[in-house]
Coordinates of all heavy atoms in Angstrom, one line a residue:
M1250 N 1.5 -9.7 19.2 CA 2.2 -9.9 18.0 C 3.1 -8.7 17.7 O 2.9 -7.6 18.2 CB 1.2 -10.0 16.8 CG 0.4 -11.3 16.8 SD 0.1 -11.7 15.1 CE -1.7 -11.8 15.2
A1251 N 4.2 -9.0 17.0 CA 5.2 -8.0 16.7 C 5.0 -7.6 15.2 O 4.5 -8.4 14.4 CB 6.6 -8.5 16.9
K1252 N 5.5 -6.4 14.9 CA 5.4 -5.9 13.5 C 6.8 -6.1 12.8 O 7.8 -5.9 13.4 CB 5.0 -4.4 13.5 CG 3.6 -4.2 13.9 CD 3.2 -2.8 13.5 CE 1.8 -2.4 14.0 NZ 0.8 -3.4 13.7
Y1253 N 6.7 -6.5 11.5 CA 7.9 -6.7 10.7 C 7.7 -6.0 9.4 O 6.6 -6.1 8.8 CB 8.2 -8.2 10.5 CG 8.4 -9.0 11.8 CD1 7.3 -9.5 12.5 CD2 9.7 -9.2 12.3 CE1 7.5 -10.2 13.7 CE2 9.9 -9.9 13.5 CZ 8.8 -10.3 14.2 OH 9.0 -11.0 15.4
M1254 N 8.8 -5.5 8.9 CA 8.8 -4.9 7.5 C 9.7 -5.8 6.7 O 10.9 -6.1 7.0 CB 9.4 -3.5 7.5 CG 9.5 -2.9 6.1 SD 10.0 -1.2 6.0 CE 11.5 -1.2 6.9
F1255 N 9.1 -6.3 5.6 CA 9.8 -7.2 4.6 C 10.1 -6.3 3.5 O 9.2 -5.7 2.8 CB 8.9 -8.3 4.2 CG 8.7 -9.4 5.3 CD1 7.7 -9.1 6.2 CD2 9.4 -10.5 5.3 CE1 7.5 -10.1 7.2 CE2 9.2 -11.5 6.3 CZ 8.2 -11.2 7.3
K1256 N 11.4 -6.1 3.2 CA 11.8 -5.3 2.0 C 12.2 -6.3 1.0 O 13.1 -7.2 1.2 CB 13.0 -4.4 2.4 CG 12.6 -3.4 3.4 CD 13.8 -2.4 3.7 CE 14.9 -3.1 4.5 NZ 16.0 -2.2 4.9
T1257 N 11.6 -6.3 -0.2 CA 11.8 -7.3 -1.2 C 12.1 -6.6 -2.6 O 11.7 -5.5 -2.8 CB 10.6 -8.2 -1.3 OG1 9.5 -7.5 -1.9 CG2 10.2 -8.8 0.0
S1258 N 12.8 -7.4 -3.4 CA 13.0 -7.0 -4.8 C 12.7 -8.2 -5.7 O 13.0 -9.4 -5.3 CB 14.5 -6.6 -5.0 OG 14.7 -5.3 -4.3
Y1259 N 12.1 -8.0 -6.8 CA 11.8 -9.0 -7.7 C 13.0 -9.6 -8.5 O 13.9 -8.8 -8.9 CB 10.7 -8.6 -8.8 CG 9.3 -8.6 -8.2 CD1 8.8 -7.4 -7.8 CD2 8.6 -9.8 -8.1 CE1 7.5 -7.4 -7.2 CE2 7.3 -9.8 -7.6 CZ 6.8 -8.6 -7.2 OH 5.5 -8.6 -6.6
T1260 N 13.1 -10.9 -8.7 CA 14.0 -11.5 -9.6 C 13.3 -11.5 -10.9 O 12.2 -11.1 -11.1 CB 14.3 -12.9 -9.1 OG1 13.1 -13.7 -9.2 CG2 14.9 -13.0 -7.7
Q1261 N 14.1 -12.0 -11.9 CA 13.5 -12.1 -13.3 C 12.2 -12.9 -13.3 O 11.2 -12.6 -13.9 CB 14.5 -12.6 -14.3 CG 14.0 -12.6 -15.7 CD 15.1 -13.0 -16.7 OE1 16.1 -13.6 -16.3 NE2 14.8 -12.9 -18.0
S1262 N 12.3 -14.1 -12.6 CA 11.1 -15.0 -12.6 C 10.0 -14.3 -11.8 O 8.8 -14.5 -12.2 CB 11.4 -16.3 -12.0 OG 11.7 -16.2 -10.6
G1263 N 10.3 -13.6 -10.8 CA 9.2 -12.9 -10.0 C 8.6 -11.8 -10.8 O 7.3 -11.6 -10.8
L1264 N 9.3 -11.1 -11.7 CA 8.7 -10.1 -12.5 C 7.8 -10.7 -13.6 O 6.8 -10.1 -13.9 CB 9.8 -9.3 -13.2 CG 10.6 -8.3 -12.4 CD1 11.8 -7.7 -13.1 CD2 9.7 -7.2 -11.9
K1265 N 8.2 -11.9 -14.0 CA 7.3 -12.6 -15.0 C 5.9 -12.9 -14.3 O 4.9 -12.7 -14.9 CB 7.9 -13.9 -15.5 CG 9.0 -13.6 -16.5 CD 9.7 -14.9 -16.9 CE 10.9 -14.6 -17.9 NZ 11.5 -15.9 -18.2
G1266 N 6.0 -13.3 -13.1 CA 4.8 -13.6 -12.3 C 4.0 -12.4 -12.0 O 2.7 -12.4 -12.1
L1267 N 4.6 -11.3 -11.7 CA 3.9 -10.0 -11.5 C 3.2 -9.5 -12.8 O 2.1 -9.1 -12.7 CB 4.9 -8.9 -11.0 CG 4.4 -7.5 -10.9 CD1 3.3 -7.5 -9.8 CD2 5.5 -6.5 -10.5
L1268 N 3.9 -9.7 -13.9 CA 3.3 -9.3 -15.2 C 2.1 -10.1 -15.5 O 1.1 -9.7 -16.0 CB 4.3 -9.3 -16.3 CG 5.4 -8.2 -16.3 CD1 6.5 -8.6 -17.3 CD2 4.8 -6.9 -16.5
A1269 N 2.1 -11.4 -15.1 CA 1.0 -12.3 -15.4 C -0.1 -12.1 -14.5 O -1.3 -12.2 -14.9 CB 1.5 -13.8 -15.3
E1270 N 0.1 -11.8 -13.2 CA -0.9 -11.7 -12.2 C -1.4 -10.3 -11.8 O -2.4 -10.1 -11.3 CB -0.5 -12.4 -10.9 CG -0.4 -13.9 -11.0 CD 0.0 -14.5 -9.6 OE1 -0.6 -14.1 -8.6 OE2 0.7 -15.5 -9.6
G1271 N -0.5 -9.4 -12.1 CA -0.8 -8.0 -11.7 C -0.5 -7.7 -10.2 O -0.2 -8.7 -9.4
G1272 N -0.5 -6.5 -9.8 CA -0.2 -6.1 -8.5 C -1.1 -6.6 -7.4 O -0.8 -7.1 -6.4
T1273 N -2.4 -6.5 -7.7 CA -3.4 -7.0 -6.8 C -3.4 -8.5 -6.6 O -3.7 -9.0 -5.5 CB -4.8 -6.5 -7.1 OG1 -5.2 -6.9 -8.5 CG2 -4.9 -5.0 -7.0
G1274 N -3.1 -9.2 -7.7 CA -3.0 -10.6 -7.6 C -1.9 -11.1 -6.7 O -2.0 -12.0 -5.9
R1275 N -0.7 -10.4 -6.8 CA 0.4 -10.7 -5.9 C 0.1 -10.3 -4.5 O 0.5 -11.0 -3.6 CB 1.7 -10.1 -6.4 CG 2.2 -10.6 -7.7 CD 2.2 -12.2 -7.8 NE 3.0 -12.7 -6.7 CZ 2.7 -13.9 -6.1 NH1 1.8 -14.7 -6.6 NH2 3.5 -14.3 -5.2
E1276 N -0.6 -9.2 -4.3 CA -1.0 -8.8 -2.9 C -1.9 -9.9 -2.3 O -1.6 -10.3 -1.2 CB -1.7 -7.5 -2.9 CG -2.2 -7.1 -1.5 CD -3.0 -5.8 -1.5 OE1 -3.5 -5.3 -2.6 OE2 -3.1 -5.2 -0.4
A1277 N -2.8 -10.4 -3.0 CA -3.7 -11.4 -2.5 C -2.9 -12.7 -2.1 O -3.1 -13.3 -1.1 CB -4.8 -11.8 -3.5
A1278 N -2.0 -13.1 -3.0 CA -1.2 -14.3 -2.7 C -0.3 -14.1 -1.5 O -0.2 -15.0 -0.7 CB -0.3 -14.6 -4.0
L1279 N 0.3 -12.9 -1.4 CA 1.2 -12.7 -0.2 C 0.4 -12.5 1.1 O 0.8 -12.9 2.2 CB 2.1 -11.5 -0.4 CG 3.2 -11.9 -1.4 CD1 3.9 -10.6 -2.0 CD2 4.3 -12.8 -0.8
R1280 N -0.8 -11.9 1.0 CA -1.7 -11.9 2.1 C -2.0 -13.3 2.6 O -1.9 -13.6 3.8 CB -3.0 -11.1 1.8 CG -4.0 -11.0 3.0 CD -5.2 -10.2 2.6 NE -4.9 -8.9 2.0 CZ -4.7 -7.8 2.7 NH1 -4.7 -7.9 4.0 NH2 -4.4 -6.7 2.1
Q1281 N -2.3 -14.2 1.7 CA -2.6 -15.6 2.1 C -1.4 -16.2 2.7 O -1.6 -17.0 3.7 CB -3.1 -16.3 0.8 CG -3.5 -17.7 1.1 CD -4.0 -18.4 -0.2 OE1 -3.6 -18.1 -1.3 NE2 -4.8 -19.4 0.0
T1282 N -0.2 -16.0 2.2 CA 1.0 -16.5 2.8 C 1.2 -16.1 4.2 O 1.5 -16.9 5.1 CB 2.2 -16.1 1.9 OG1 2.0 -16.7 0.6 CG2 3.5 -16.7 2.5
I1283 N 1.0 -14.8 4.4 CA 1.2 -14.2 5.8 C 0.2 -14.7 6.7 O 0.5 -15.1 7.9 CB 1.3 -12.7 5.7 CG1 2.6 -12.2 5.0 CG2 1.1 -12.1 7.1 CD1 2.6 -10.8 4.6
E1284 N -1.1 -14.8 6.3 CA -2.1 -15.3 7.1 C -1.9 -16.8 7.4 O -2.2 -17.3 8.5 CB -3.5 -15.1 6.5 CG -3.9 -13.7 6.5 CD -5.2 -13.4 5.7 OE1 -5.7 -14.3 5.0 OE2 -5.6 -12.2 5.7
G1285 N -1.3 -17.5 6.5 CA -1.0 -18.9 6.7 C 0.1 -19.1 7.8 O 0.2 -20.2 8.4
A1286 N 0.9 -18.1 8.0 CA 1.9 -18.1 9.1 C 1.3 -17.6 10.4 O 2.1 -17.4 11.4 CB 3.1 -17.3 8.7
G1287 N 0.0 -17.3 10.4 CA -0.6 -16.9 11.7 C -0.6 -15.3 11.8 O -0.8 -14.8 12.9
G1288 N -0.2 -14.6 10.8 CA -0.1 -13.2 10.8 C -1.2 -12.5 10.1 O -2.1 -13.1 9.5
T1289 N -1.1 -11.1 10.0 CA -2.0 -10.3 9.2 C -1.1 -9.3 8.4 O -0.1 -8.8 8.9 CB -3.0 -9.5 10.1 OG1 -2.2 -8.7 11.1 CG2 -3.9 -10.4 10.8
L1290 N -1.5 -9.0 7.2 CA -0.8 -8.1 6.4 C -1.4 -6.7 6.7 O -2.6 -6.4 6.4 CB -1.0 -8.4 4.9 CG -0.4 -7.5 3.9 CD1 1.2 -7.6 4.0 CD2 -0.8 -8.0 2.5
E1291 N -0.6 -5.8 7.1 CA -1.0 -4.4 7.5 C -0.8 -3.5 6.3 O -1.5 -2.5 6.2 CB -0.3 -4.0 8.7 CG -0.7 -2.6 9.2 CD 0.0 -2.2 10.5 OE1 -0.1 -2.9 11.5 OE2 0.7 -1.2 10.4
G1292 N 0.3 -3.7 5.6 CA 0.6 -2.7 4.5 C 1.3 -3.5 3.4 O 2.1 -4.4 3.6
F1293 N 1.0 -3.0 2.2 CA 1.6 -3.7 1.0 C 1.8 -2.5 0.0 O 0.9 -1.9 -0.5 CB 0.6 -4.7 0.4 CG 1.1 -5.4 -0.8 CD1 1.6 -6.7 -0.6 CD2 1.0 -4.9 -2.1 CE1 2.0 -7.5 -1.7 CE2 1.4 -5.6 -3.2 CZ 1.9 -6.9 -3.0
Y1294 N 3.1 -2.2 -0.3 CA 3.4 -1.1 -1.2 C 4.5 -1.4 -2.2 O 5.6 -1.9 -1.8 CB 3.9 0.1 -0.3 CG 2.9 0.5 0.7 CD1 3.0 0.1 2.0 CD2 1.9 1.4 0.4 CE1 2.1 0.5 3.0 CE2 1.0 1.8 1.3 CZ 1.1 1.3 2.6 OH 0.1 1.7 3.6
Y1295 N 4.2 -1.1 -3.4 CA 5.2 -1.2 -4.5 C 6.0 0.1 -4.4 O 5.4 1.2 -4.0 CB 4.6 -1.4 -5.8 CG 4.1 -2.8 -6.0 CD1 2.7 -3.1 -5.9 CD2 5.0 -3.8 -6.4 CE1 2.3 -4.4 -6.1 CE2 4.5 -5.1 -6.5 CZ 3.2 -5.4 -6.4 OH 2.7 -6.7 -6.5
A1296 N 7.3 0.1 -4.8 CA 8.1 1.3 -4.8 C 9.1 1.4 -5.9 O 9.5 0.3 -6.4 CB 8.8 1.4 -3.4
F1297 N 9.6 2.6 -6.2 CA 10.7 2.8 -7.0 C 11.9 2.9 -6.0 O 11.8 3.4 -4.9 CB 10.6 4.1 -7.8 CG 9.5 4.1 -8.8 CD1 8.5 5.0 -8.7 CD2 9.6 3.2 -9.9 CE1 7.5 5.0 -9.7 CE2 8.6 3.2 -10.8 CZ 7.5 4.1 -10.7
G1298 N 13.1 2.5 -6.5 CA 14.3 2.7 -5.6 C 14.9 1.4 -5.2 O 15.0 0.5 -6.0
E1299 N 15.4 1.4 -4.0 CA 16.2 0.3 -3.5 C 15.5 -1.0 -3.5 O 16.0 -2.0 -3.8 CB 16.6 0.6 -2.0 CG 17.5 -0.4 -1.4 CD 17.8 -0.1 0.1 OE1 17.7 1.0 0.5 OE2 18.2 -1.0 0.8
C1300 N 14.2 -1.0 -3.2 CA 13.4 -2.2 -3.1 C 12.2 -2.0 -4.0 O 11.7 -0.9 -4.2 CB 12.9 -2.5 -1.7 SG 14.3 -2.9 -0.6
D1301 N 11.6 -3.2 -4.5 CA 10.4 -3.1 -5.3 C 9.1 -3.2 -4.6 O 8.1 -2.7 -5.0 CB 10.5 -4.3 -6.3 CG 11.6 -4.3 -7.3 OD1 12.0 -3.2 -7.7 OD2 12.2 -5.4 -7.6
L1302 N 9.2 -3.8 -3.4 CA 8.0 -4.1 -2.6 C 8.3 -4.1 -1.1 O 9.3 -4.6 -0.7 CB 7.5 -5.5 -3.0 CG 6.3 -6.1 -2.4 CD1 5.0 -5.2 -2.6 CD2 6.0 -7.5 -2.8
Y1303 N 7.4 -3.4 -0.4 CA 7.5 -3.3 1.1 C 6.2 -4.0 1.6 O 5.1 -3.6 1.2 CB 7.6 -1.9 1.6 CG 8.9 -1.3 1.2 CD1 9.1 -0.6 0.0 CD2 10.0 -1.3 2.1 CE1 10.3 0.0 -0.4 CE2 11.2 -0.7 1.7 CZ 11.3 -0.1 0.5 OH 12.5 0.5 0.2
L1304 N 6.4 -4.9 2.6 CA 5.3 -5.5 3.3 C 5.4 -5.2 4.8 O 6.5 -5.3 5.3 CB 5.3 -7.0 3.1 CG 5.3 -7.6 1.7 CD1 5.5 -9.1 1.8 CD2 4.0 -7.3 1.0
I1305 N 4.3 -4.8 5.4 CA 4.3 -4.6 6.8 C 3.3 -5.7 7.4 O 2.2 -5.7 6.9 CB 3.8 -3.2 7.3 CG1 4.5 -2.1 6.6 CG2 3.8 -3.1 8.8 CD1 6.0 -2.0 6.9
A1306 N 3.8 -6.5 8.3 CA 3.0 -7.6 8.7 C 3.1 -7.7 10.3 O 4.1 -7.5 10.9 CB 3.5 -8.9 8.1
D1307 N 2.0 -8.1 10.9 CA 1.9 -8.5 12.3 C 2.1 -10.0 12.3 O 1.3 -10.7 11.6 CB 0.6 -8.1 12.9 CG 0.4 -6.6 13.2 OD1 1.4 -6.1 13.7 OD2 -0.6 -6.1 12.9
L1308 N 3.1 -10.5 13.0 CA 3.3 -11.9 13.1 C 3.5 -12.3 14.5 O 3.9 -11.5 15.4 CB 4.6 -12.2 12.3 CG 4.5 -12.0 10.8 CD1 5.9 -12.0 10.2 CD2 3.6 -13.1 10.2
P1309 N 3.2 -13.6 14.8 CA 3.2 -14.1 16.2 C 4.5 -14.0 16.9 O 4.6 -13.7 18.1 CB 2.7 -15.5 16.1 CG 2.2 -15.7 14.7 CD 2.7 -14.6 13.9
D1310 N 5.6 -14.2 16.1 CA 6.9 -14.3 16.7 C 8.0 -14.3 15.7 O 7.7 -14.3 14.5 CB 7.1 -15.5 17.6 CG 6.7 -16.8 16.9 OD1 7.0 -16.9 15.7 OD2 6.1 -17.7 17.6
E1311 N 9.3 -14.3 16.1 CA 10.4 -14.3 15.2 C 10.5 -15.5 14.4 O 10.9 -15.5 13.2 CB 11.7 -14.1 16.0 CG 11.8 -12.7 16.6 CD 13.1 -12.5 17.5 OE1 13.8 -13.5 17.7 OE2 13.3 -11.4 17.9
A1312 N 10.0 -16.6 14.9 CA 10.1 -17.9 14.1 C 9.2 -17.8 12.9 O 9.5 -18.2 11.8 CB 9.7 -19.1 15.0
A1313 N 8.0 -17.2 13.1 CA 7.1 -17.0 12.0 C 7.7 -16.1 10.9 O 7.6 -16.3 9.7 CB 5.7 -16.5 12.5
A1314 N 8.3 -15.0 11.4 CA 8.9 -14.0 10.5 C 10.1 -14.7 9.7 O 10.2 -14.5 8.5 CB 9.5 -12.8 11.2
T1315 N 10.9 -15.5 10.4 CA 12.0 -16.2 9.8 C 11.4 -17.2 8.8 O 12.0 -17.3 7.7 CB 12.8 -16.9 10.9 OG1 13.3 -15.9 11.8 CG2 14.0 -17.6 10.2
A1316 N 10.4 -18.0 9.1 CA 9.8 -19.0 8.2 C 9.3 -18.3 6.9 O 9.6 -18.8 5.8 CB 8.7 -19.7 8.9
L1317 N 8.7 -17.2 7.1 CA 8.2 -16.4 5.9 C 9.3 -16.0 5.0 O 9.3 -16.2 3.8 CB 7.4 -15.2 6.3 CG 5.9 -15.4 6.7 CD1 5.3 -14.2 7.3 CD2 5.2 -15.9 5.4
S1318 N 10.3 -15.4 5.6 CA 11.5 -14.9 4.9 C 12.2 -16.0 4.2 O 12.5 -15.9 3.0 CB 12.5 -14.2 5.9 OG 13.6 -13.8 5.2
L1319 N 12.4 -17.1 4.8 CA 13.1 -18.2 4.2 C 12.4 -18.8 3.1 O 12.9 -19.1 2.0 CB 13.4 -19.3 5.3 CG 14.5 -19.0 6.3 CD1 14.5 -20.1 7.4 CD2 15.8 -18.8 5.7
N1320 N 11.1 -19.1 3.3 CA 10.2 -19.7 2.3 C 10.0 -18.8 1.1 O 10.0 -19.3 -0.1 CB 8.9 -20.2 2.9 CG 9.1 -21.5 3.7 OD1 9.2 -22.6 3.1 ND2 9.3 -21.4 5.0
I1321 N 9.8 -17.5 1.3 CA 9.6 -16.6 0.2 C 10.9 -16.5 -0.6 O 10.9 -16.6 -1.9 CB 9.1 -15.2 0.7 CG1 7.7 -15.3 1.2 CG2 9.2 -14.2 -0.5 CD1 7.2 -14.1 1.9
A1322 N 12.0 -16.4 0.0 CA 13.3 -16.3 -0.7 C 13.7 -17.6 -1.4 O 14.1 -17.5 -2.5 CB 14.4 -15.9 0.3
A1323 N 13.4 -18.7 -0.8 CA 13.7 -20.0 -1.4 C 12.9 -20.2 -2.7 O 13.4 -20.9 -3.5 CB 13.4 -21.1 -0.4
A1324 N 11.7 -19.6 -2.8 CA 10.9 -19.8 -4.0 C 11.6 -19.2 -5.2 O 11.3 -19.6 -6.3 CB 9.5 -19.3 -3.8
G1325 N 12.4 -18.2 -5.0 CA 13.2 -17.6 -6.0 C 12.6 -16.4 -6.8 O 13.2 -15.9 -7.7
A1326 N 11.4 -16.0 -6.4 CA 10.8 -14.8 -7.1 C 11.1 -13.5 -6.5 O 11.1 -12.5 -7.1 CB 9.3 -15.0 -7.1
L1327 N 11.5 -13.5 -5.2 CA 11.9 -12.3 -4.5 C 13.1 -12.5 -3.6 O 13.3 -13.6 -3.1 CB 10.7 -11.9 -3.5 CG 9.4 -11.5 -4.1 CD1 8.3 -11.5 -3.0 CD2 9.5 -10.2 -4.8
T1328 N 13.9 -11.4 -3.5 CA 14.9 -11.4 -2.5 C 14.3 -10.7 -1.3 O 13.4 -9.9 -1.5 CB 16.2 -10.6 -2.9 OG1 15.8 -9.3 -3.2 CG2 16.8 -11.2 -4.2
V1329 N 14.7 -11.1 -0.1 CA 14.0 -10.6 1.1 C 14.9 -10.2 2.2 O 15.9 -10.9 2.4 CB 13.1 -11.7 1.7 CG1 12.3 -11.3 2.9 CG2 12.1 -12.3 0.6
S1330 N 14.6 -9.1 2.8 CA 15.3 -8.7 4.1 C 14.2 -8.3 5.0 O 13.1 -7.8 4.6 CB 16.3 -7.6 3.9 OG 15.8 -6.4 3.6
V1331 N 14.4 -8.5 6.3 CA 13.3 -8.3 7.3 C 13.9 -7.3 8.4 O 15.0 -7.5 8.8 CB 12.9 -9.6 8.0 CG1 11.8 -9.4 9.0 CG2 12.5 -10.6 7.0
T1332 N 13.0 -6.4 8.8 CA 13.3 -5.5 9.8 C 12.2 -5.6 10.9 O 11.0 -5.6 10.6 CB 13.3 -4.0 9.3 OG1 14.3 -3.9 8.3 CG2 13.7 -3.0 10.4
V1333 N 12.6 -5.7 12.1 CA 11.7 -5.7 13.3 C 11.3 -4.3 13.5 O 12.2 -3.4 13.6 CB 12.3 -6.3 14.5 CG1 11.3 -6.3 15.7 CG2 12.8 -7.8 14.3
L1334 N 10.0 -4.0 13.6 CA 9.5 -2.6 13.8 C 9.2 -2.5 15.3 O 8.6 -3.4 15.9 CB 8.3 -2.3 13.0 CG 8.6 -2.4 11.5 CD1 7.3 -2.2 10.7 CD2 9.7 -1.4 11.0
L1335 N 9.6 -1.4 15.9 CA 9.4 -1.1 17.3 C 8.3 0.0 17.6 O 8.3 1.0 16.9 CB 10.7 -0.7 18.0 CG 11.9 -1.7 17.8 CD1 13.1 -1.0 18.3 CD2 11.6 -3.0 18.4
T1336 N 7.5 -0.2 18.6 CA 6.5 0.8 18.9 C 7.2 1.9 19.8 O 8.3 1.6 20.4 CB 5.4 0.2 19.7 OG1 5.9 -0.3 21.0 CG2 4.7 -0.9 19.0
P1337 N 6.7 3.1 19.9 CA 7.2 4.1 20.8 C 7.3 3.6 22.2 O 8.2 3.9 23.0 CB 6.3 5.3 20.6 CG 5.7 5.1 19.3 CD 5.6 3.6 19.1
E1338 N 6.3 2.8 22.6 CA 6.3 2.2 24.0 C 7.4 1.3 24.2 O 8.0 1.3 25.3 CB 4.9 1.5 24.2 CG 3.7 2.4 24.2 CD 3.2 2.8 22.9 OE1 3.6 2.2 21.9 OE2 2.4 3.8 22.8
T1339 N 7.8 0.5 23.2 CA 9.0 -0.4 23.4 C 10.2 0.5 23.5 O 11.1 0.1 24.3 CB 9.1 -1.3 22.1 OG1 7.9 -2.1 22.1 CG2 10.3 -2.2 22.2
V1340 N 10.3 1.5 22.8 CA 11.5 2.4 22.9 C 11.5 3.1 24.3 O 12.6 3.1 24.9 CB 11.5 3.5 21.8 CG1 12.6 4.5 22.0 CG2 11.7 2.8 20.4
D1341 N 10.4 3.5 24.8 CA 10.3 4.0 26.2 C 10.8 3.0 27.2 O 11.6 3.3 28.1 CB 8.9 4.4 26.5 CG 8.4 5.7 25.8 OD1 9.3 6.4 25.2 OD2 7.2 6.0 25.8
E1342 N 10.4 1.8 27.0 CA 10.8 0.7 27.9 C 12.3 0.5 27.8 O 13.0 0.4 28.8 CB 10.1 -0.6 27.6 CG 10.5 -1.7 28.5 CD 9.7 -3.0 28.1 OE1 8.7 -3.0 27.4 OE2 10.2 -4.1 28.6
A1343 N 12.9 0.6 26.6 CA 14.3 0.4 26.4 C 15.1 1.6 27.1 O 16.1 1.4 27.7 CB 14.7 0.3 24.9
V1344 N 14.6 2.8 26.9 CA 15.3 4.0 27.4 C 15.3 3.9 29.0 O 16.3 4.3 29.6 CB 14.5 5.2 27.0 CG1 15.0 6.5 27.8 CG2 14.7 5.5 25.5
G1345 N 14.4 3.2 29.6 CA 14.3 3.1 31.0 C 15.2 2.0 31.6 O 15.4 1.9 32.8
K1346 N 15.9 1.2 30.7 CA 16.8 0.2 31.2 C 18.2 0.6 31.2 O 18.7 1.3 30.3 CB 16.6 -1.1 30.3 CG 15.3 -1.7 30.3 CD 15.2 -3.0 29.5 CE 13.8 -3.5 29.5 NZ 13.8 -4.8 30.1
S1347 N 18.9 0.3 32.3 CA 20.3 0.6 32.4 C 21.1 -0.6 31.9 O 20.8 -1.8 32.3 CB 20.6 0.9 33.9 OG 22.0 1.1 34.0
V1348 N 22.1 -0.3 31.1 CA 22.9 -1.4 30.5 C 24.4 -1.0 30.8 O 24.8 0.1 30.4 CB 22.7 -1.5 29.0 CG1 23.7 -2.5 28.4 CG2 21.3 -1.8 28.7
P1349 N 25.2 -1.9 31.4 CA 26.6 -1.6 31.7 C 27.3 -1.6 30.3 O 27.3 -2.6 29.6 CB 27.0 -2.7 32.6 CG 26.1 -3.8 32.4 CD 24.8 -3.2 32.0
Y1350 N 28.0 -0.5 30.0 CA 28.8 -0.5 28.8 C 30.0 0.3 29.0 O 30.0 1.4 29.7 CB 28.0 0.2 27.7 CG 28.7 0.4 26.4 CD1 29.1 -0.6 25.6 CD2 29.1 1.7 26.0 CE1 29.8 -0.4 24.4 CE2 29.9 1.9 24.9 CZ 30.2 0.8 24.1 OH 30.9 1.0 22.9
R1351 N 31.2 -0.1 28.5 CA 32.4 0.6 28.6 C 32.9 1.0 27.2 O 32.9 0.1 26.3 CB 33.5 -0.3 29.3 CG 34.8 0.3 29.5 CD 35.9 -0.7 30.0 NE 36.1 -1.8 29.2 CZ 36.8 -1.8 28.0 NH1 37.4 -0.8 27.6 NH2 36.9 -3.0 27.4
L1352 N 33.2 2.2 27.0 CA 33.8 2.7 25.8 C 35.1 2.0 25.4 O 35.8 1.7 26.4 CB 34.0 4.2 25.8 CG 32.8 5.1 25.8 CD1 33.2 6.5 26.1 CD2 32.0 5.0 24.5
P1353 N 35.4 1.7 24.2 CA 36.6 1.1 23.8 C 37.8 2.0 24.3 O 37.8 3.2 24.2 CB 36.6 1.1 22.3 CG 35.2 1.1 21.9 CD 34.5 1.9 23.0
G1354 N 38.7 1.4 25.0 CA 39.9 2.1 25.5 C 39.7 2.8 26.8 O 40.6 3.4 27.3
A1355 N 38.5 2.8 27.3 CA 38.2 3.5 28.6 C 38.6 2.7 29.8 O 38.6 1.5 29.8 CB 36.8 3.9 28.6

C-alpha cells in the first residue's frame, strides 16, 4: 500500500456538519470512508492555516486515492487535494536510477 496525504478545507456546509458532529464524529466518519476504499487512516489532524484538515492514509493504489478524492469533493463539504507520500527507501531507489535529460538550450 502507498501513503497519501489529503489536504482539505471545509466549505460552509462542511462547517455546519463539523459543528453538529464534532471533531471526533467527523474523524470516525472519514475513517469509515477510507476503510471502505480498502485503506487505513494513519493520521487525522485539524490545523490552522492553509488547510483545515490533514489526513494521512494507506491506500491500495492510485485508483483508490482518486476515488476517495473525487467522492469526498463531490459531496461538497470539503475541498480536497492529494499528495503521494514517499518513503526514504523509494527516494533511494529513485536516486539510483539514471534518467536521460538535456538542459534547455544545451
Side-chain angles (χ1 to χ4, degrees):
M1250 285 214 239
K1252 291 195 185 308
Y1253 298 87
M1254 177 173 57
F1255 292 79
K1256 298 185 289 185
T1257 71
S1258 291
Y1259 281 100
T1260 64
Q1261 185 177 11
S1262 68
L1264 287 172
K1265 288 178 183 177
L1267 175 61
L1268 289 170
E1270 292 185 37
T1273 56
R1275 292 312 306 151
E1276 179 183 16
L1279 287 164
R1280 180 179 306 277
Q1281 184 178 24
T1282 299
I1283 289 167
E1284 289 173 354
T1289 56
L1290 180 62
E1291 182 178 300
F1293 184 98
Y1294 301 97
Y1295 288 100
F1297 295 118
E1299 180 183 344
C1300 296
D1301 297 324
L1302 177 62
Y1303 292 86
L1304 306 170
I1305 308 294
D1307 284 314
L1308 293 164
D1310 51 37
E1311 290 176 356
T1315 302
L1317 277 172
S1318 178
L1319 290 172
N1320 283 279
I1321 291 170
L1327 294 169
T1328 61
V1329 181
S1330 68
V1331 182
T1332 301
V1333 178
L1334 300 176
L1335 306 172
T1336 64
E1338 294 78 14
T1339 300
V1340 173
D1341 287 347
E1342 184 180 341
V1344 167
K1346 294 183 184 242
S1347 177
V1348 177
Y1350 175 73
R1351 181 185 59 76
L1352 290 170

